[in-house]
Amino acid sequence: MKALVLAALLTGGASDQQRADYIGSHVWPTTEHHSGGFSAIETDGTGFVALSDRARIFDGRFERDAEGRITGIEILHDDPLRSGSEGIMTGSLADSEGLAIGPDGRRWISFEARARVRSETGPDGPELLPRPQAFRDMQFNSALEALAIDEAGALYTIPERSGRLDRPFPVYRWKDGEWSLPFSLPRRGAYLVTGADFGPDGKLYLLERDFAGIGFRSRVRRFAPDGTSEEVLLETGLGVHDNLEGISVWRDDLGRIRLTMISDDNFRFFQRTEIVEYALDE
């Protein structure tokens, strides 16, 4: 099975078409992880870190067959997120959505209900970054859904909603000890932001979701590091996958860029935690 890749540069009107290979999907049953609500993932293809939106983080490894498809998942350990005197996070503090791991191995997390970004690991333990007024003014339950980090260690976070269908998604950057708004990403249709990652090519990959009442559509767009050169890489049909919310972009042994995505089951029995992979042969 393959998914059509629309490699058209939407800003320039080009129509060059390519194909993204569908590698496979692996359903991760609740009986194995005893959690749910997975909203972010980072992987190098073997080891992975996954984040639940109930303030819990998982370290594990993928088992793969000879074709590179995921056949099993081993959890090495899982831990609740902690925050100083707050102890284990609960309520509106616990809505963890975005995950980014820096070149130094430090783990950063963005939160949606009480919009903020903090590190989970570091030389001095968790560190909460300053909350600008823009974060405080964000729509409840639609705030900092996506988090990515570039090779220089700058953090980029994007809210789920922009506020209007014709308003671009703002991209906030933490660099040199301050927040800025270096660029925005165009909003196309009803899709909302769910995840982001910088790939091995240095480009910014954006995962988006559209809920159409009976199922989900997913889309992946790719941008230059400054938010220009927009490409649509993947757009699925309704119900092809579950609620994909997290994306990790890496290069496999064949030199292809691999997109690994994880779904949020919303802790509902009729949804599933699904890990989906596509490869770009460029």
Side-chain angles (χ1 to χ4, degrees):
M1 175 183 177
K2 293 189 175 184
L4 183 64
V5 174
L6 305 177
L9 293 177
L10 300 183
T11 53
S15 60
D16 182 29
Q17 290 187 348
Q18 300 180 27
R19 285 193 171 271
D21 290 327
Y22 170 69
I23 303 299
S25 300
H26 179 83
V27 175
W28 193 13
T30 304
T31 53
E32 293 184 7
H33 56 70
H34 304 288
S35 185
F38 288 98
S39 58
I41 190 168
E42 290 290 333
T43 184
D44 59 6
T46 302
F48 74 86
V49 181
L51 180 70
S52 166
D53 62 13
R54 298 288 177 85
R56 197 162 194 91
I57 196 163
F58 292 74
D59 286 71
R61 60 180 298 275
F62 294 130
E63 299 168 1
R64 296 182 180 271
D65 63 17
E67 302 300 321
R69 293 184 292 261
I70 297 172
T71 57
I73 298 175
E74 178 186 5
I75 297 175
L76 301 178
H77 55 86
D78 66 282
D79 301 287
L81 300 182
R82 299 180 183 274
S83 185
S85 61
E86 299 169 3
I88 296 176
M89 293 183 186
T90 59
S92 63
L93 291 176
D95 194 3
S96 47
E97 293 287 347
L99 171 68
I101 302 177
D104 58 357
R106 195 171 189 183
R107 299 177 179 184
W108 294 90
I109 296 170
S110 65
F111 294 81
E112 187 176 30
R114 179 178 169 85
R116 66 198 192 280
V117 176
R118 54 156 270 180
S119 68
E120 174 61 16
T121 58
D124 300 315
E127 175 191 355
L128 179 65
L129 297 183
R131 294 180 69 223
Q133 189 61 44
F135 290 5
R136 302 171 191 269
D137 294 339
M138 285 181 179
Q139 183 176 342
F140 181 77
N141 201 36
S142 298
L144 303 179
E145 186 80 18
L147 186 67
I149 193 166
D150 66 19
E151 60 182 8
L155 288 163
Y156 297 74
T157 188
I158 311 168
E160 179 181 4
R161 296 177 182 271
S162 63
R164 283 204 317 260
L165 282 172
D166 60 350
R167 179 182 295 164
F169 294 107
V171 179
Y172 298 93
R173 181 176 64 193
W174 175 260
K175 183 179 179 181
D176 297 329
E178 63 180 9
W179 287 106
S180 64
L181 184 63
F183 57 87
S184 296
L185 301 177
R187 183 166 177 173
R188 308 289 187 194
Y191 284 90
L192 301 176
V193 171
T194 61
D197 195 22
F198 280 95
D201 54 2
K203 295 183 178 181
L204 178 62
Y205 290 72
L206 185 72
L207 174 62
E208 298 169 291
R209 167 201 62 215
D210 175 31
F211 178 62
I214 59 172
F216 300 92
R217 298 185 182 94
S218 297
R219 182 172 69 188
V220 177
R221 289 189 286 165
R222 178 170 63 183
F223 300 85
D226 61 357
T228 60
S229 302
E230 176 188 356
E231 303 170 83
V232 178
L233 299 177
L234 172 68
E235 191 165 347
T236 72
L238 181 65
V240 172
H241 302 301
D242 207 284
N243 177 28
L244 298 181
E245 286 209 1
I247 183 171
S248 182
V249 186
W250 52 285
R251 196 177 297 279
D252 65 20
D253 292 339
L254 297 178
R256 301 175 301 179
I257 287 180
R258 188 81 71 98
L259 311 177
T260 298
M261 294 167 282
I262 192 168
S263 69
D264 176 357
D265 66 357
N266 292 304
F267 293 90
R268 293 174 175 164
F269 73 92
F270 53 85
Q271 290 185 251
R272 63 193 183 275
T273 299
E274 180 185 17
I275 298 174
V276 178
E277 292 192 308
Y278 286 83
L280 306 178
D281 194 353
E282 300 181 292

